[in-house]
Amino acid sequence: MRAPQSIHVEWNEIVNSKRDKASEVNPAQLHKKMLQLLSSLWVTRAVGSFARLGLADVMEEGIEDHAAIATARGLAPDRVYRLLRALSTVGIVTEPTRGRFALTPLGRLLSSHAPNNTRTTAIFLNDYFADMWMHLDDALTGERTGFEALKGAPFFSWLGQNPDEARRFNRMMLEVHGPETPAIVAAYDFSSFDHVVDVGGGNGSLLSAVLAAYPNRRATLFDMAEAVAAAKRGEGGPLPGAGFVIGDVFTTPAPGDGDVYLIRHLMHDYDDADCVRILHNVRRAMKPTARVLVLEAPLPSDDSPGPGRWLDLQVMVLCGGRERTVEEYAALFERARLKLARTIPTTHPAMTVVEAVAS
């Protein structure tokens, strides 16, 4: 999703104001940059339509002519041509000869048949996940989230009332976070732990990967009923001998006797007070020698650019959560009678292991 050209610029071009000092004093460059920022919505919407209409699936069948691609989906050939021509500027397709298009490796991520595809994510981010951004002004008042302004209920409560949407959201989470899983297992040594507990572990995909790399460990998945049901159906992979605890991470006592507690992409969904409640719950259950692994992508402590600052706004608008620096995680640990032990980078740019121990 990063290719230069026309209205679109690479991510670092957008987020790094230090990149081109000349643009700070050149009115024409400033104007161009502002139009690039404002028109980035066009790219998102175009990628979403390409995914939703299944055009990547058609092209994977070997169809290259724009008219044939359009006919396969009952669309207007000229308009499909114009869509594909625009998407060729951002690396989704190429146009080797006029009117004939080929998928790029990036574009294949929008096919429903591709492994680790992001088709559900592209669709999701173009429906009510996009609509809630119309309520950013509401979110900035601090009285409610953008999602609440749009749907009339907090996000996770709304998912509980809409199980089909919950399943679709879980699919998106698997698409977004699935590639992080092998990086976590490769970066952290679980060999000294007998009992691994995944707090809010969803369908158990991370726990399954840990057990595959470190067999014969005890494992417990702790999450709400629907997530546990998905894990038991094997949606996250095999969980040989694993135990399951159904409950709320705030109010249900966390499973005891764990040697290491995994908390992946859960903390950023909540404000500080709720995060401390989660950590307190784990702290009460853990052995004195146990570890807590907060698996997130901490914000840089300096002014380095990066997508985390935008994800921070996304979770603010969606559920009132926030992204944090390592120092901010350390402060949360201290409030829960834990202390920061170390941070371990992984090969995935959106994942760092933040390890805490009992204080």
Side-chain angles (χ1 to χ4, degrees):
M1 298 175 4
R2 318 251 205 277
Q5 200 71 306
S6 186
I7 63 165
H8 183 65
V9 290
E10 294 194 23
W11 178 262
N12 284 339
E13 253 186 288
I14 292 176
V15 301
N16 190 357
S17 61
K18 298 177 180 178
R19 177 186 166 275
D20 185 0
K21 291 296 182 183
S23 69
E24 296 177 4
V25 294
N26 185 320
Q29 289 296 324
L30 285 175
H31 187 258
K32 177 185 176 182
K33 175 132 186 172
M34 181 55 69
L35 291 181
Q36 288 171 332
L37 291 171
L38 294 175
S39 60
S40 60
L41 172 66
W42 305 347
V43 178
T44 303
R45 291 300 198 183
V47 171
S49 288
F50 182 82
R52 186 169 47 251
L53 293 169
L55 299 184
D57 289 358
V58 174
M59 295 177 71
E60 276 202 320
E61 295 172 2
I63 300 176
E64 297 181 348
D65 179 69
H66 75 276
I69 294 169
T71 299
R73 289 291 185 261
L75 303 171
D78 175 65
R79 295 190 173 191
V80 168
Y81 171 73
R82 291 156 65 185
L83 171 68
L84 296 175
R85 180 177 61 183
L87 290 174
S88 72
T89 72
V90 293
I92 301 297
V93 298
T94 60
E95 188 181 11
T97 59
R98 183 173 175 81
R100 299 184 71 83
F101 294 87
L103 276 177
T104 65
L106 183 64
R108 287 193 183 92
L109 291 178
L110 299 172
S111 163
S112 60
H113 308 302
N116 298 318
N117 75 78
T118 57
R119 182 169 183 250
T120 298
T121 304
I123 297 170
F124 218 110
L125 294 179
N126 274 281
D127 51 27
Y128 54 83
F129 262 43
D131 295 341
M132 71 184 181
W133 275 83
M134 294 188 295
H135 298 278
L136 175 59
D137 293 6
D138 291 276
L140 292 173
T141 68
E143 296 176 0
R144 58 181 178 173
T145 65
F147 187 88
E148 287 178 272
L150 176 68
K151 294 291 190 180
F155 177 61
F156 292 112
S157 298
W158 184 83
L159 282 185
Q161 299 161 6
N162 295 271
D164 288 343
E165 289 303 315
R167 283 188 286 272
R168 196 160 70 104
F169 175 72
N170 289 337
R171 170 62 190 170
M172 182 179 78
M173 290 295 96
L174 185 61
E175 288 181 359
V176 171
H177 299 307
E180 301 165 359
T181 300
I184 294 168
V185 176
Y188 194 84
D189 183 5
F190 290 89
S191 62
S192 63
F193 304 125
D194 175 61
H195 185 194
V196 182
V197 179
D198 198 344
V199 178
N203 65 12
S205 59
L206 175 57
L207 204 53
S208 178
V210 172
L211 290 175
Y214 298 88
N216 303 316
R217 263 59 181 180
R218 295 165 57 205
T220 302
L221 180 72
F222 174 38
D223 208 331
M224 303 296 280
E226 183 175 327
V228 168
K232 288 183 175 180
R233 290 192 298 268
E235 292 184 9
L239 291 168
F244 301 93
V245 175
I246 295 174
D248 185 311
V249 295
F250 298 111
T251 59
T252 306
D257 196 37
D259 296 302
V260 61
Y261 289 79
L262 313 179
I263 307 177
R264 176 160 74 158
H265 290 309
L266 180 65
M267 306 275 282
H268 78 160
D269 288 333
Y270 297 100
D271 63 20
D272 287 356
D274 280 342
C275 286
V276 172
R277 290 173 64 198
I278 294 170
L279 292 171
H280 263 307
N281 194 16
V282 171
R283 178 65 179 85
R284 284 191 293 266
M286 62 189 276
K287 298 186 287 190
T289 57
R291 298 284 191 270
V292 177
L293 306 186
V294 172
L295 305 167
E296 298 273 6
L299 292 174
S301 300
D302 57 19
D303 63 349
S304 301
R309 290 186 172 92
W310 290 101
L311 181 58
D312 179 54
L313 286 185
Q314 167 73 7
V315 294
M316 179 187 78
V317 172
L318 177 65
C319 54
R322 66 185 304 139
E323 301 301 316
R324 296 174 173 88
T325 64
V326 171
E327 292 81 4
E328 288 170 330
Y329 280 116
L332 293 180
F333 294 152
E334 186 175 351
R335 291 170 61 184
R337 294 185 298 117
L338 296 164
K339 65 180 178 181
L340 176 68
R342 56 179 174 158
T343 61
I344 304 170
T346 76
T347 56
H348 195 287
M351 176 52 59
T352 295
V353 180
V354 183
E355 185 185 58
V357 296
S359 62

